[in-house]
Amino acid sequence: MSKIDDEVSKKIELCAKKEFLEKGYVDASLRTIAAEAMTTTGSIYSRYGGKEGLFSALVEPSANEFVGIFRSIQEKFCKIDPRKQAGIMDEYTANGMKQLVEYIYSRLEEFHLLVDSSYGTKFQNFVEHLVEIETEYTYKFIEVIGIEFKKPITKDFMHIMNKALFESFFEIVRHNMSKEEAVAYAIMLEKYHSAGWEIIYKENC
């Protein structure tokens, strides 16, 4: 019986991906998903608890793992000798970007759902969560290497800068880039972001 249930769940999730990708979470219909999967809405509720539970089953594992990888990249950098951090940051960041792109392209449908179809769910704040992590570790970097700005960098400014970075980063998904194009784009984007910080540093230190 469990094998039959597993097959039904697989069919539901396959049909749900299609429905969510085409219509977004808000406009997606459990009735349509159930009909396409040749099951009932009751079957979906018993397995997932409803539409948001079904959406979560599709994206939450990938979202959590991506956040874990991103935080791990930040943590490893923090453990590097502070005297070396500034000198290796560009190369380290480029490698980190490549790692994130590699992960996205191993689960591309899930990231299309997260980026384009998650409005109305708890995952609509996925990018915001990444921005908070980036902001946290940017402050740590500034503190560790001892940068003292003449005019303090506010949390609002830091958030806006990092939000722009991550919204731009996920354009690789929205634009359906190949993985090779996405890696090149992500590295160029990071260089652009870093150049802006370099100007601020020179003007305020």
Side-chain angles (χ1 to χ4, degrees):
M1 180 65 82
S2 62
K3 184 175 181 181
I4 294 173
D5 287 346
D6 284 345
E7 290 303 315
V8 172
S9 296
K10 287 177 184 176
K11 185 67 173 175
I12 290 170
E13 291 178 13
L14 184 65
C15 295
K17 275 186 182 181
K18 180 175 178 290
E19 179 76 358
F20 287 132
L21 286 169
E22 288 180 356
K23 298 180 181 177
Y25 173 79
V26 173
D27 293 328
S29 165
L30 282 187
R31 288 185 180 180
T32 300
I33 294 168
E36 291 287 331
M38 293 182 289
T39 189
T40 65
T41 54
S43 174
I44 294 174
Y45 275 98
S46 67
R47 286 174 168 82
Y48 304 99
K51 188 162 73 167
E52 185 156 6
L54 176 54
F55 189 88
S56 294
L58 296 175
V59 304
E60 191 159 28
S62 296
N64 288 347
E65 192 167 356
F66 184 88
V67 170
I69 291 169
F70 179 56
R71 190 175 283 280
S72 175
I73 290 168
Q74 299 280 12
E75 282 291 338
K76 287 177 183 176
F77 185 76
C78 275
K79 292 176 182 176
I80 295 171
D81 186 336
R83 294 168 295 181
K84 298 179 181 179
Q85 286 187 10
I88 67 167
M89 185 168 64
D90 288 345
E91 181 181 359
Y92 186 91
T93 302
N95 288 332
M97 284 290 199
K98 289 178 187 176
Q99 189 176 349
L100 294 175
V101 171
E102 286 283 347
Y103 185 80
I104 288 172
Y105 277 76
S106 72
R107 292 161 174 80
L108 193 53
E109 280 191 335
E110 286 80 358
F111 280 91
H112 272 292
L113 289 169
L114 280 167
V115 171
D116 296 324
S117 303
S118 63
Y119 179 76
T121 77
K122 64 183 180 180
F123 300 99
Q124 70 183 36
N125 295 319
F126 176 66
V127 171
E128 281 290 335
H129 185 41
L130 298 173
V131 170
E132 288 169 3
I133 295 170
E134 178 72 13
T135 299
E136 173 190 347
Y137 282 93
T138 303
Y139 273 120
K140 286 183 180 180
F141 172 73
I142 289 172
E143 183 179 349
V144 164
I145 67 173
I147 299 175
E148 293 185 9
F149 293 105
K150 294 175 184 176
K151 184 178 180 181
I153 303 298
T154 66
K155 189 171 183 179
D156 283 344
F157 177 80
M158 190 86 74
H159 180 91
I160 290 167
M161 287 283 288
N162 290 331
K163 181 70 175 289
L165 172 63
F166 277 96
E167 288 290 355
S168 299
F169 174 73
F170 282 107
E171 288 298 306
I172 65 174
V173 176
R174 296 187 178 102
H175 284 260
N176 296 307
M177 295 181 186
S178 70
K179 185 166 70 173
E180 292 73 20
E181 290 172 329
V183 169
Y185 170 87
I187 292 173
M188 190 181 301
L189 178 64
E190 178 56 34
K191 288 180 180 179
Y192 178 85
H193 183 75
S194 295
W197 276 114
E198 187 72 20
I199 291 170
I200 292 170
Y201 174 76
K202 288 178 179 178
E203 289 180 349
N204 288 279
C205 293

